[in-house]
Amino acid sequence: MQVERQARYALLLAAKDSEYVKKVYGGYYNVFVAAFGAEGESWDLYRVVEGEFPKKSELENYDGFVISGSPYDAYGNDHWIIELCFLLQYLDAMEKKVLGICFGHQVLCRALGGKVGKAYTGWDIGLRKVKIVKDLSPFSFFDGLDEIPPALSIIECHQDEVWEVPSGAEVIGYSNKTGVEMFTIGAHILGIQGHPEYSKDILYNLIDRLLNNNFIEKGFAENARSALQLAEPDRKIWEKICKIFLKGR
């Protein structure tokens, strides 16, 4: 009797766990696995922000990779960011499934030849309606949805953005704030500027930390908190899109 191979994924964590996320969820790893994982799968954690990377000899054993968000700039030249860019180029050449979230979306773009930088319109914190470009999204991760809504709400928290996608990439999502909310390359690369894995409580805590560290002003923080109370993100649909992309189901 042939034993079915266990699917194996890697989380490339580009941020250190906040005290809140550690206390409530046990770390960002658990947040991502709860959002994108399934029973019977194996998920490995690599804290790339601390210089921890998978060995090249191990890459073939993975079915997909997820790059998290980060407080660092995707266009920065920190050693680990440069190493991450080289890894992403290698994974692209292997045509491995790679999902980039927020910083991950931006660093994917940079690594594969696009341009990223500070957002022209400043911080985007809160819920954002992302319009889906249906005629430019032919890949199977949308086929698994019963219906593709014209727009999906997602939690956002970023002050950088993709300026220009790599050659061969397709922009499949945009908003009234950010021109590149989602992009794909072939059927193996997907970047999402928002946070499909976030719940509202994580963002509330993040807003508090940004305010306490003087990254945003009090009025901006209050407006962001107030707006969050008025609507909900389409988390289940976003999670399904990510799962279908990573796993083909």
Side-chain angles (χ1 to χ4, degrees), residues 67-79:
I67 320 155
S68 78
S70 177
Y72 288 82
D73 297 325
Y75 47 85
N77 291 317
D78 304 69
H79 180 77

Side-chain angles (χ1 to χ4, degrees), residues 14 22 41 56 75 93 95 113 131 136 141 143 155 159 179 201 209 239:
K22 277 195 287 189
E41 295 173 352
K56 276 192 176 180
Y75 47 85
E95 294 195 353
K131 297 176 179 64
L136 288 180
F141 54 87
D143 296 342
I155 288 176
Q159 64 171 339
D201 65 299
R209 287 191 285 127
E239 287 176 5

Side-chain angles (χ1 to χ4, degrees), residues 24 28 32 42 52 54 58 69 88 98 102 110 150 153 155 160 176 204 227 234 236:
V24 176
Y28 283 119
F32 276 93
S42 173
E52 184 182 322
E58 284 283 297
L88 297 177
V98 183
C102 197
R110 174 194 177 175
S153 289
I155 288 176
D160 298 334
N176 60 0
Y204 279 125
D234 293 309
K236 293 300 180 186

Side-chain angles (χ1 to χ4, degrees), residues 53 75-87 110:
F53 286 83
Y75 47 85
N77 291 317
D78 304 69
H79 180 77
W80 71 269
I81 295 177
I82 300 299
E83 187 172 352
L84 178 58
C85 286
F86 284 128
L87 172 61
R110 174 194 177 175

Side-chain angles (χ1 to χ4, degrees), residues 70-207:
S70 177
Y72 288 82
D73 297 325
Y75 47 85
N77 291 317
D78 304 69
H79 180 77
W80 71 269
I81 295 177
I82 300 299
E83 187 172 352
L84 178 58
C85 286
F86 284 128
L87 172 61
L88 297 177
Q89 291 167 4
Y90 198 82
L91 294 175
D92 176 50
M94 296 174 72
E95 294 195 353
K96 284 290 185 180
K97 295 263 188 174
V98 183
L99 169 63
I101 304 296
C102 197
F103 166 91
H105 159 88
Q106 297 161 12
V107 80
L108 254 181
C109 177
R110 174 194 177 175
L112 302 183
K115 295 181 181 178
V116 298
K118 281 280 183 284
Y120 293 118
T121 54
W123 278 99
D124 190 8
I125 300 178
L127 287 178
R128 185 67 53 186
K129 282 278 188 184
V130 175
K131 297 176 179 64
I132 307 299
V133 186
K134 296 181 185 179
D135 57 344
L136 288 180
S137 52
F139 305 118
S140 60
F141 54 87
F142 279 134
D143 296 342
L145 298 176
D146 297 329
E147 181 182 353
I148 305 173
L152 292 168
S153 289
I154 195 168
I155 288 176
E156 306 259 9
C157 187
H158 64 101
Q159 64 171 339
D160 298 334
E161 65 183 5
V162 170
W163 288 352
E164 184 180 310
V165 294
S167 175
E170 297 277 11
V171 177
I172 62 168
Y174 67 96
S175 69
N176 60 0
K177 177 80 169 175
T178 303
V180 184
E181 290 280 5
M182 297 175 71
F183 78 92
T184 59
I185 298 176
H188 66 288
I189 299 290
L190 174 61
I192 301 175
Q193 179 57 71
H195 284 275
E197 82 286 8
Y198 270 14
S199 50
K200 287 166 73 171
D201 65 299
I202 292 177
L203 185 59
Y204 279 125
N205 177 261
L206 191 46
I207 290 170

Side-chain angles (χ1 to χ4, degrees), residues 3-57:
V3 178
E4 187 176 346
R5 176 184 166 275
Q6 184 183 52
R8 188 178 177 192
Y9 299 91
L11 173 62
L12 307 178
L13 189 61
K16 296 178 181 178
D17 292 323
S18 70
E19 290 302 316
Y20 177 82
V21 168
K22 277 195 287 189
K23 179 180 177 182
V24 176
Y25 297 97
Y28 283 119
Y29 170 84
N30 291 335
V31 173
F32 276 93
V33 174
F36 305 146
E39 188 176 349
E41 295 173 352
S42 173
W43 282 76
D44 296 335
L45 171 62
Y46 295 95
R47 297 183 183 275
V48 294
V49 70
E50 297 175 6
E52 184 182 322
F53 286 83
K55 295 177 181 177
K56 276 192 176 180
S57 60

